[in-house]
Amino acid sequence: MTADGQAIFSAEDYAWMARALSVAEGGRRISSPNPSVGCVVVKGGRLMGQGHSQEAGEAHAEVMALRDAVSRGESCRGATAYVTLEPCSHFGRTPPCANALIEAGIARVVAAMIDPHGKVAGKGVQMLRDAGIQVDVGLMQAEARESLRGFLSRIERSRPWLRLKIAASLDGKVALANGESQWITGPAARADVQRLRARSCAMITGSGTVLMDDPLLTVREVDGQPWTHPRQPLRVVLDSRAQMPPTAKMLSAPGATLVIVANAPAAHCKVLESAGAEVLALPDAQGRVDLPSLLGALAQRGINEATVESGARLNGAWLASGLVDEIILYQAPVLLGNAAQGLAEFSLERLADKFAPRVIDVRQVGADMRYTLRFTN
């Protein structure tokens, strides 16, 4: 412990927390709306058990790690638990994880960060300390915040983490002048998009994309295997006038579809509701969909991460709103020409007003390049 009360972590501590962060990825596609947390239990430098968050209502990471230890015939008494988020202290759909750690005889808990959720917010740490357990907080906190960015966005900002997914040509075009866009990128990039959908809680598009492409916006396969898990991202269609047809494929696809309207005729809304959609009116002062209100409404539904797959007009509206956290850009080595549609519709009067996200990652995916760009830290 340093003079200012900060814990001092060893190289071994870092190694085990890194493993817990890796384990957390196992729950990424199933734990929503709960955060995907990882936990490893260690004693004498040896792994006792590990686990990640399960589906909402099922066991949390700490309980899964303890169960794993029992299945291996190991005792966790006197062990250290490394967990990527403070153990919960309240009864929700499951009992408190702090209680499980106490009952297992854990001697030390290392948490990457405090859980900002109002029902936890340090109470889990206090419960453990009151039971005589040593608790050290703050190891690899930046990495944990990155892992938990969707959940943290919903809790701390009352809106989901928002990304734009864009597939474009080398000259920055997303479709021909007639709207044809399938397929600009190759099969490897499209498979990568399926992984992106699988981690998303909601997929957002516009009525123009529905009318042109009639997309499903579902997860169909991940890593070459059919997606059999019942969880599908919520499909959200921005449709100010309720123009999408009741025969749209997504309305009969697995999962739910939410249509966001502004000043839409009631009769049109009823037709969509009869076809299986939920319709929600969120108009702004100009009679368009209110984008900040939409994100607030999604947060109230437990949406941690939302991905936009749309055309240039809606991409431009989201960028202009200042609400975009991240862009995932797949760029194909093809040229579509001047008449093709650009990736986002917006105009600037000054170069100083340009959008300038930070480049976080660049990698090749099949024949295409994938850029990860961030506006938000």
Side-chain angles (χ1 to χ4, degrees):
M1 193 78 72
T2 63
D4 60 356
Q6 297 298 308
I8 297 175
F9 299 108
S10 67
E12 183 180 20
D13 288 333
Y14 276 91
W16 288 117
M17 185 60 79
R19 180 169 184 136
L21 286 163
S22 178
V23 170
E25 291 305 306
R28 175 74 58 204
R29 298 163 182 163
I30 62 172
S31 65
S32 175
N34 292 337
S36 183
V37 177
C39 178
V40 298
V41 179
V42 180
K43 184 163 63 175
R46 193 164 61 87
L47 178 70
M48 299 288 104
Q50 63 183 23
H52 58 71
S53 305
Q54 301 297 300
E55 300 171 44
E58 301 297 329
H60 291 188
E62 298 90 333
V63 172
M64 293 301 294
L66 295 173
R67 288 179 183 174
D68 185 40
V70 170
S71 72
R72 298 168 187 244
E74 302 284 4
S75 170
C76 293
R77 190 159 298 279
T80 296
Y82 295 87
V83 61
T84 59
L85 185 67
E86 174 189 9
C88 64
S89 56
H90 63 289
F91 283 89
R93 296 180 181 179
T94 60
C97 293
N99 279 354
L101 295 170
I102 293 168
E103 292 170 2
I106 294 292
R108 180 188 180 215
V109 173
V110 181
M113 61 175 291
I114 295 294
D115 187 340
H117 195 290
K119 292 184 177 180
V120 189
K123 299 181 184 71
V125 167
Q126 192 58 53
M127 181 183 293
L128 294 168
R129 286 175 174 162
D130 288 345
I133 296 174
Q134 177 185 342
V135 183
D136 298 317
V137 180
L139 175 60
M140 301 183 73
Q141 179 170 271
E143 292 84 351
R145 289 194 66 87
E146 171 69 13
S147 174
L148 296 163
R149 62 187 181 275
F151 170 75
L152 295 176
S153 177
R154 178 168 65 86
I155 299 303
E156 296 175 346
R157 304 189 298 173
S158 299
R159 67 176 181 87
W161 179 271
L162 184 72
R163 69 172 63 85
L164 299 187
K165 189 282 294 182
I166 302 173
S169 64
L170 199 60
D171 50 350
K173 307 298 184 178
V174 298
L176 297 181
N178 63 7
E180 183 182 352
S181 62
Q182 297 178 337
W183 299 101
I184 293 174
T185 53
R190 297 198 295 274
D192 198 59
V193 170
Q194 288 287 304
R195 288 189 285 270
L196 190 62
R197 287 184 185 178
R199 71 170 289 156
S200 301
C201 307
M203 297 298 301
I204 301 174
T205 193
S207 57
T209 297
V210 175
L211 291 168
M212 177 60 66
D213 297 334
D214 198 12
L216 289 168
L217 291 185
T218 54
V219 184
R220 295 182 288 281
E221 66 172 47
V222 176
D223 298 327
Q225 299 298 316
W227 179 254
T228 57
H229 196 276
R231 192 190 81 81
Q232 286 284 349
L234 173 69
R235 296 179 293 274
V236 182
V237 181
L238 278 61
D239 189 5
S240 295
R241 300 286 297 166
Q243 295 176 333
M244 68 178 285
T247 55
K249 290 178 182 177
M250 67 172 63
L251 293 177
S252 58
T257 299
L258 173 64
V259 179
I260 308 297
V261 301
N263 296 321
H268 291 192
C269 295
K270 289 180 180 179
V271 168
L272 290 176
E273 289 172 338
S274 297
E278 179 185 355
V279 179
L280 177 64
L282 292 174
D284 66 9
Q286 288 74 44
R288 298 170 299 203
V289 170
D290 189 298
L291 299 181
S293 294
L294 168 59
L295 293 189
L298 292 180
Q300 291 177 3
R301 292 167 181 252
I303 300 298
N304 294 329
E305 296 186 19
T307 299
V308 177
E309 283 193 29
S310 192
R313 184 177 180 182
L314 188 52
N315 286 342
W318 279 114
L319 286 169
S321 75
L323 297 168
V324 176
D325 295 303
E326 178 178 73
I327 297 174
I328 305 294
L329 172 64
Y330 297 90
Q331 191 169 41
V334 298
L335 299 168
L336 299 185
N338 291 339
Q341 300 177 24
L343 58 83
E345 291 184 7
F346 62 89
S347 60
L348 300 176
E349 295 183 358
R350 303 183 308 159
L351 188 59
D353 295 332
K354 63 183 179 295
F355 295 105
R358 295 171 292 111
V359 178
I360 300 299
D361 181 72
V362 180
R363 66 184 63 192
Q364 188 164 353
V365 181
D368 307 313
M369 298 300 296
R370 186 186 76 190
Y371 296 84
T372 302
L373 307 115
R374 291 272 177 89
F375 293 98
T376 304
N377 293 326

